[in-house]
Amino acid sequence: MGNNKDQLLRDIGIVGFVLTDLSLYLDTHPFDRNAMEYFNHYNRIKHQMEKEFSMKYFPLTINMAESNKEWRWGMAPLPWEGECG
Amino acid sequence: MQDYLYDNNIDKFPVAMAYVPWQRFDKMYDDLEKAFCAGTIFPELDKPFTGRRCV
């Protein structure tokens, strides 16, 4: 195991979890600038990772689905095909 | 809404009520893999709950 695609997908999931936990904290502490800095930092990283994944493999979300030669969203594996972890 | 610190205002807290201390953001796990497995990014919330009984 551990090819680059699987690793990147897993890392995106982990950063997504970090953002979820930070957002839960910020929901009850909406003026905590330190937590907001962490959120902004990891949010930017997640965007970069999703963009990288989408360019190398397939778009994970519809907003990453810009296409030229073929409709990449439609060509992407479906969730039940086991490609999404 | 007024927040009171329990330490300084113990007489302002009605009796027979349960209070949850307010979480303050101090630091988060540097090792995100560890945080992911623990289910929280906050070391102070990483408790050894087993889902069955206390340890």
Side-chain angles (χ1 to χ4, degrees), chain A residues 38-54:
Chain A
Y38 273 96
F39 180 89
N40 295 342
H41 173 73
Y42 285 112
N43 199 29
R44 278 193 288 270
I45 287 177
K46 181 157 180 274
H47 277 297
Q48 284 169 6
M49 292 164 88
E50 286 175 338
K51 202 172 164 189
E52 185 191 336
F53 188 93
S54 296

Side-chain angles (χ1 to χ4, degrees), chain A residues 46-55 58-67 72-73:
Chain A
K46 181 157 180 274
H47 277 297
Q48 284 169 6
M49 292 164 88
E50 286 175 338
K51 202 172 164 189
E52 185 191 336
F53 188 93
S54 296
M55 288 191 311
F58 54 85
L60 291 171
T61 54
I62 192 70
N63 61 326
M64 297 274 174
E66 272 189 36
S67 302
R72 302 178 64 232
W73 180 251

